[in-house]
Amino acid sequence: MISSLKLCREILKQPPLNTIYDVKEIGINDEFGQWCTNGDGMSDEDWERYFVNQPLAFHPCGTVKMAPDEVVNHRFQVYGTKNLRVVDASIFPYIPSGNTNAPTAVVAWRASRLIFEDYMGTR
């Protein structure tokens, strides 16, 4: 997790993203200031303390919503493409109040049935 966050910060520093996101301006000390033990940013120990004491409040989802005016239709097909479907929590229009495991499993089960129907021509 720590390595991933460090890599994300390095990616944000590269063109053209550095023209959109001023990493220094939205620096890690500003975002996580209460967890820093020094002015140079978060050490690995600071990150560990952050992850142990600050549980994440949500699971990422909703990036390719399922809706008529969004990205994916009711059969999990991406609008404007052929043979491309999205079958994961990213299709949720809202973040569930509980864990995303069960709803994602239901989405996968339903999508598998629809894909099977399309493949067998029984739709």
Side-chain angles (χ1 to χ4, degrees), residues 64-68 70-76 86 90-93:
V64 289
K65 296 177 189 175
M66 178 188 286
E70 293 291 342
V71 181
V72 178
N73 69 16
H74 67 284
R75 296 183 72 82
F76 306 96
V86 176
S90 64
I91 67 156
F92 297 167

PDB file of all heavy atoms in Angstrom, residues 64-68 70-76 86 90-93:
ATOM      1  N   VAL A  64     -17.702   3.934 -13.742  1.00  0.00           N
ATOM      2  CA  VAL A  64     -18.366   3.680 -15.036  1.00  0.00           C
ATOM      3  C   VAL A  64     -19.811   3.264 -14.767  1.00  0.00           C
ATOM      4  O   VAL A  64     -20.219   2.151 -15.019  1.00  0.00           O
ATOM      5  CB  VAL A  64     -17.631   2.617 -15.888  1.00  0.00           C
ATOM      6  CG1 VAL A  64     -16.335   3.137 -16.436  1.00  0.00           C
ATOM      7  CG2 VAL A  64     -17.404   1.351 -15.125  1.00  0.00           C
ATOM      8  N   LYS A  65     -20.583   4.192 -14.281  1.00  0.00           N
ATOM      9  CA  LYS A  65     -21.936   3.913 -13.814  1.00  0.00           C
ATOM     10  C   LYS A  65     -22.822   3.238 -14.857  1.00  0.00           C
ATOM     11  O   LYS A  65     -22.703   3.479 -16.051  1.00  0.00           O
ATOM     12  CB  LYS A  65     -22.610   5.209 -13.386  1.00  0.00           C
ATOM     13  CG  LYS A  65     -21.955   5.873 -12.216  1.00  0.00           C
ATOM     14  CD  LYS A  65     -22.651   7.177 -11.909  1.00  0.00           C
ATOM     15  CE  LYS A  65     -21.893   7.968 -10.885  1.00  0.00           C
ATOM     16  NZ  LYS A  65     -22.497   9.270 -10.667  1.00  0.00           N
ATOM     17  N   MET A  66     -23.722   2.415 -14.346  1.00  0.00           N
ATOM     18  CA  MET A  66     -24.722   1.773 -15.179  1.00  0.00           C
ATOM     19  C   MET A  66     -25.972   2.642 -15.169  1.00  0.00           C
ATOM     20  O   MET A  66     -26.633   2.771 -14.141  1.00  0.00           O
ATOM     21  CB  MET A  66     -25.067   0.373 -14.656  1.00  0.00           C
ATOM     22  CG  MET A  66     -26.147  -0.321 -15.471  1.00  0.00           C
ATOM     23  SD  MET A  66     -26.709  -1.842 -14.721  1.00  0.00           S
ATOM     24  CE  MET A  66     -25.330  -2.904 -15.044  1.00  0.00           C
ATOM     25  N   ALA A  67     -26.266   3.254 -16.290  1.00  0.00           N
ATOM     26  CA  ALA A  67     -27.447   4.102 -16.431  1.00  0.00           C
ATOM     27  C   ALA A  67     -27.589   4.473 -17.907  1.00  0.00           C
ATOM     28  O   ALA A  67     -26.608   4.431 -18.663  1.00  0.00           O
ATOM     29  CB  ALA A  67     -27.316   5.359 -15.578  1.00  0.00           C
ATOM     30  N   PRO A  68     -28.790   4.840 -18.323  1.00  0.00           N
ATOM     31  CA  PRO A  68     -28.988   5.185 -19.734  1.00  0.00           C
ATOM     32  C   PRO A  68     -28.088   6.319 -20.225  1.00  0.00           C
ATOM     33  O   PRO A  68     -27.667   6.319 -21.371  1.00  0.00           O
ATOM     34  CB  PRO A  68     -30.455   5.592 -19.800  1.00  0.00           C
ATOM     35  CG  PRO A  68     -31.095   4.914 -18.644  1.00  0.00           C
ATOM     36  CD  PRO A  68     -30.037   4.861 -17.578  1.00  0.00           C
ATOM     37  N   GLU A  70     -25.092   7.163 -18.909  1.00  0.00           N
ATOM     38  CA  GLU A  70     -23.742   7.016 -18.353  1.00  0.00           C
ATOM     39  C   GLU A  70     -22.884   6.158 -19.281  1.00  0.00           C
ATOM     40  O   GLU A  70     -22.863   6.392 -20.464  1.00  0.00           O
ATOM     41  CB  GLU A  70     -23.817   6.418 -16.949  1.00  0.00           C
ATOM     42  CG  GLU A  70     -24.463   7.337 -15.919  1.00  0.00           C
ATOM     43  CD  GLU A  70     -23.629   8.561 -15.576  1.00  0.00           C
ATOM     44  OE1 GLU A  70     -22.419   8.557 -15.856  1.00  0.00           O
ATOM     45  OE2 GLU A  70     -24.184   9.503 -15.026  1.00  0.00           O
ATOM     46  N   VAL A  71     -22.194   5.132 -18.755  1.00  0.00           N
ATOM     47  CA  VAL A  71     -21.191   4.390 -19.523  1.00  0.00           C
ATOM     48  C   VAL A  71     -21.643   2.980 -19.902  1.00  0.00           C
ATOM     49  O   VAL A  71     -21.337   2.506 -20.987  1.00  0.00           O
ATOM     50  CB  VAL A  71     -19.868   4.310 -18.712  1.00  0.00           C
ATOM     51  CG1 VAL A  71     -18.792   3.577 -19.481  1.00  0.00           C
ATOM     52  CG2 VAL A  71     -19.389   5.705 -18.347  1.00  0.00           C
ATOM     53  N   VAL A  72     -22.379   2.318 -19.004  1.00  0.00           N
ATOM     54  CA  VAL A  72     -22.709   0.909 -19.183  1.00  0.00           C
ATOM     55  C   VAL A  72     -24.230   0.732 -19.186  1.00  0.00           C
ATOM     56  O   VAL A  72     -24.933   1.348 -18.387  1.00  0.00           O
ATOM     57  CB  VAL A  72     -22.081   0.070 -18.033  1.00  0.00           C
ATOM     58  CG1 VAL A  72     -22.434  -1.392 -18.159  1.00  0.00           C
ATOM     59  CG2 VAL A  72     -20.582   0.249 -18.012  1.00  0.00           C
ATOM     60  N   ASN A  73     -24.729  -0.132 -20.078  1.00  0.00           N
ATOM     61  CA  ASN A  73     -26.170  -0.387 -20.117  1.00  0.00           C
ATOM     62  C   ASN A  73     -26.564  -1.491 -19.128  1.00  0.00           C
ATOM     63  O   ASN A  73     -25.712  -2.025 -18.411  1.00  0.00           O
ATOM     64  CB  ASN A  73     -26.635  -0.701 -21.538  1.00  0.00           C
ATOM     65  CG  ASN A  73     -26.138  -2.037 -22.054  1.00  0.00           C
ATOM     66  OD1 ASN A  73     -25.676  -2.908 -21.308  1.00  0.00           O
ATOM     67  ND2 ASN A  73     -26.218  -2.219 -23.359  1.00  0.00           N
ATOM     68  N   HIS A  74     -27.849  -1.850 -19.127  1.00  0.00           N
ATOM     69  CA  HIS A  74     -28.357  -2.819 -18.156  1.00  0.00           C
ATOM     70  C   HIS A  74     -27.849  -4.248 -18.390  1.00  0.00           C
ATOM     71  O   HIS A  74     -28.074  -5.127 -17.577  1.00  0.00           O
ATOM     72  CB  HIS A  74     -29.891  -2.803 -18.155  1.00  0.00           C
ATOM     73  CG  HIS A  74     -30.489  -3.321 -19.429  1.00  0.00           C
ATOM     74  ND1 HIS A  74     -30.508  -2.579 -20.596  1.00  0.00           N
ATOM     75  CD2 HIS A  74     -31.065  -4.502 -19.716  1.00  0.00           C
ATOM     76  CE1 HIS A  74     -31.077  -3.290 -21.548  1.00  0.00           C
ATOM     77  NE2 HIS A  74     -31.433  -4.466 -21.042  1.00  0.00           N
ATOM     78  N   ARG A  75     -27.147  -4.469 -19.495  1.00  0.00           N
ATOM     79  CA  ARG A  75     -26.540  -5.772 -19.769  1.00  0.00           C
ATOM     80  C   ARG A  75     -25.018  -5.717 -19.603  1.00  0.00           C
ATOM     81  O   ARG A  75     -24.310  -6.565 -20.114  1.00  0.00           O
ATOM     82  CB  ARG A  75     -26.922  -6.263 -21.160  1.00  0.00           C
ATOM     83  CG  ARG A  75     -28.432  -6.506 -21.303  1.00  0.00           C
ATOM     84  CD  ARG A  75     -28.787  -7.057 -22.657  1.00  0.00           C
ATOM     85  NE  ARG A  75     -28.365  -8.444 -22.817  1.00  0.00           N
ATOM     86  CZ  ARG A  75     -29.036  -9.510 -22.371  1.00  0.00           C
ATOM     87  NH1 ARG A  75     -30.159  -9.355 -21.726  1.00  0.00           N
ATOM     88  NH2 ARG A  75     -28.568 -10.726 -22.581  1.00  0.00           N
ATOM     89  N   PHE A  76     -24.540  -4.675 -18.915  1.00  0.00           N
ATOM     90  CA  PHE A  76     -23.123  -4.496 -18.594  1.00  0.00           C
ATOM     91  C   PHE A  76     -22.260  -4.167 -19.818  1.00  0.00           C
ATOM     92  O   PHE A  76     -21.047  -4.247 -19.753  1.00  0.00           O
ATOM     93  CB  PHE A  76     -22.555  -5.729 -17.868  1.00  0.00           C
ATOM     94  CG  PHE A  76     -23.345  -6.108 -16.656  1.00  0.00           C
ATOM     95  CD1 PHE A  76     -24.315  -7.090 -16.723  1.00  0.00           C
ATOM     96  CD2 PHE A  76     -23.133  -5.463 -15.454  1.00  0.00           C
ATOM     97  CE1 PHE A  76     -25.055  -7.426 -15.601  1.00  0.00           C
ATOM     98  CE2 PHE A  76     -23.869  -5.805 -14.327  1.00  0.00           C
ATOM     99  CZ  PHE A  76     -24.840  -6.784 -14.395  1.00  0.00           C
ATOM    100  N   VAL A  86     -18.325  -4.251 -18.590  1.00  0.00           N
ATOM    101  CA  VAL A  86     -17.703  -3.941 -17.307  1.00  0.00           C
ATOM    102  C   VAL A  86     -18.497  -4.678 -16.250  1.00  0.00           C
ATOM    103  O   VAL A  86     -19.705  -4.487 -16.123  1.00  0.00           O
ATOM    104  CB  VAL A  86     -17.687  -2.426 -17.021  1.00  0.00           C
ATOM    105  CG1 VAL A  86     -17.117  -2.151 -15.644  1.00  0.00           C
ATOM    106  CG2 VAL A  86     -16.902  -1.690 -18.093  1.00  0.00           C
ATOM    107  N   SER A  90     -17.324  -0.907 -10.179  1.00  0.00           N
ATOM    108  CA  SER A  90     -17.281   0.411 -10.808  1.00  0.00           C
ATOM    109  C   SER A  90     -18.600   0.782 -11.463  1.00  0.00           C
ATOM    110  O   SER A  90     -18.852   1.949 -11.722  1.00  0.00           O
ATOM    111  CB  SER A  90     -16.137   0.491 -11.816  1.00  0.00           C
ATOM    112  OG  SER A  90     -16.338  -0.413 -12.874  1.00  0.00           O
ATOM    113  N   ILE A  91     -19.484  -0.183 -11.706  1.00  0.00           N
ATOM    114  CA  ILE A  91     -20.778   0.138 -12.323  1.00  0.00           C
ATOM    115  C   ILE A  91     -21.807   0.653 -11.320  1.00  0.00           C
ATOM    116  O   ILE A  91     -22.839   1.165 -11.719  1.00  0.00           O
ATOM    117  CB  ILE A  91     -21.366  -1.072 -13.073  1.00  0.00           C
ATOM    118  CG1 ILE A  91     -21.745  -2.182 -12.097  1.00  0.00           C
ATOM    119  CG2 ILE A  91     -20.433  -1.559 -14.145  1.00  0.00           C
ATOM    120  CD1 ILE A  91     -22.787  -3.115 -12.614  1.00  0.00           C
ATOM    121  N   PHE A  92     -21.534   0.524 -10.027  1.00  0.00           N
ATOM    122  CA  PHE A  92     -22.490   0.977  -9.017  1.00  0.00           C
ATOM    123  C   PHE A  92     -22.673   2.491  -9.134  1.00  0.00           C
ATOM    124  O   PHE A  92     -21.702   3.232  -9.154  1.00  0.00           O
ATOM    125  CB  PHE A  92     -22.012   0.668  -7.602  1.00  0.00           C
ATOM    126  CG  PHE A  92     -21.847  -0.787  -7.277  1.00  0.00           C
ATOM    127  CD1 PHE A  92     -21.172  -1.172  -6.147  1.00  0.00           C
ATOM    128  CD2 PHE A  92     -22.360  -1.778  -8.090  1.00  0.00           C
ATOM    129  CE1 PHE A  92     -21.006  -2.506  -5.823  1.00  0.00           C
ATOM    130  CE2 PHE A  92     -22.200  -3.116  -7.783  1.00  0.00           C
ATOM    131  CZ  PHE A  92     -21.521  -3.476  -6.649  1.00  0.00           C
ATOM    132  N   PRO A  93     -23.914   2.953  -9.167  1.00  0.00           N
ATOM    133  CA  PRO A  93     -24.121   4.402  -9.238  1.00  0.00           C
ATOM    134  C   PRO A  93     -23.790   5.109  -7.925  1.00  0.00           C
ATOM    135  O   PRO A  93     -23.483   6.291  -7.917  1.00  0.00           O
ATOM    136  CB  PRO A  93     -25.588   4.550  -9.586  1.00  0.00           C
ATOM    137  CG  PRO A  93     -26.218   3.264  -9.196  1.00  0.00           C
ATOM    138  CD  PRO A  93     -25.158   2.211  -9.254  1.00  0.00           C
TER     139      PRO A  93
END
